[in-house]
């Protein structure tokens, strides 16, 4: 299958939430950056010994979802979120994927694995007019910065400065859900 089978147009690094079935029978939600090129297959990297990595090995895939809910995204990115169902209520579209490991390595002391994601089946719940929301973008960037705190190869002082900036943007330019997402980020991460 080609990336034309994805329910949305992917370009560059598209942020998503992936759910993978764990050994406890629950679906673990995590943030996952999808790397897409013009002719290359869609790939993603897992960093460290995460539930997503272990579940990809165990199950061979998961459900990639596209949501614009900043709280769902922040919880998936920074906490252990497990649900009985594979699809988030906030997902506008999702695709069941097969995940095949195609590479592995280590960067600054952190092991990573690269996965080729092949669509199996996809659904679009609802088509909405896309918005460019600086508050939501700030939540996404904050989860990236927060996930790198304490990781060799990243400067914690710089990351904390970024987190302060992103919080100001989210609280100024975002709505109620973006502010609630930052409240959750503050619960998960100290800076």
């Amino acid at each position: 299958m080609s990336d034309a089978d994805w329910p949305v147009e992917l370009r560059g690094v598209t942020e998503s939430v992936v759910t993978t079935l764990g050994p406890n029978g629950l679906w673990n939600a995590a943030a996952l950056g999808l790397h897409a090129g013009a002719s290359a297959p869609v790939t993603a990297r897992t960093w460290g010994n995460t539930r997503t990595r272990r579940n990809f090995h165990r199950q061979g895939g998961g459900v990639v979802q596209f949501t614009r809910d900043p709280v769902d995204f922040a919880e998936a990115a920074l906490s252990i979120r497990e649900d009985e169902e594979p699809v988030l209520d906030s997902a506008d579209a999702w695709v069941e994927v097969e995940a095949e490991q195609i590479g592995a390595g280590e960067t600054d002391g952190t092991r990573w694995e690269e996965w080729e994601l092949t669509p199996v089946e996809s659904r679009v719940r609802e088509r909405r007019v896309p918005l460019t929301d600086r508050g939501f973008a700030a939540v996404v960037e904050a989860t990236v910065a927060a996930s790198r705190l304490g990781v060799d190869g990243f400067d914690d002082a710089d990351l904390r400065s970024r987190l302060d900036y992103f919080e100001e943007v989210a609280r100024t330019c975002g709505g109620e859900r973006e502010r609630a997402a930052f409240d959750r980020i503050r619960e998960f991460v100290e800076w």
Side-chain angles (χ1 to χ4, degrees), residues 2 12 24 26 37 72 98:
S2 70
N24 61 358
L26 296 175
D72 282 348
E98 293 175 349

Side-chain angles (χ1 to χ4, degrees), residues 106-174:
E106 187 175 300
T107 301
D108 294 323
T110 301
R111 181 165 171 71
W112 55 264
E113 293 184 16
E114 187 160 6
W115 302 87
E116 182 175 324
L117 303 178
T118 304
V120 175
E121 182 179 354
S122 65
R123 296 276 186 266
V124 175
R125 180 175 287 158
E126 134 184 13
R127 295 253 181 224
R128 294 191 290 175
V129 175
L131 301 174
T132 302
D133 182 327
R134 288 184 61 209
F136 182 73
V139 169
V140 171
E141 291 300 324
T143 63
V144 172
S147 71
R148 293 178 178 167
L149 282 170
V151 175
D152 290 342
F154 294 96
D155 182 316
D156 280 359
D158 180 51
L159 293 171
R160 286 185 183 94
S161 177
R162 289 183 194 184
L163 284 164
D164 288 337
Y165 173 76
F166 294 138
E167 182 172 24
E168 182 179 334
V169 171
R171 293 195 185 279
T172 302
C173 301

Side-chain angles (χ1 to χ4, degrees), residues 10-24:
L10 302 175
R11 63 184 188 274
V13 178
T14 301
E15 293 297 339
S16 71
V17 171
V18 64
T19 54
T20 53
L21 187 61
N24 61 358

Side-chain angles (χ1 to χ4, degrees), residues 175-188:
E176 179 181 325
R177 293 299 284 173
E178 286 78 14
R179 288 186 291 278
F182 250 94
D183 292 343
R184 297 292 287 157
I185 292 169
R186 283 254 178 216
E187 288 177 33
F188 302 137

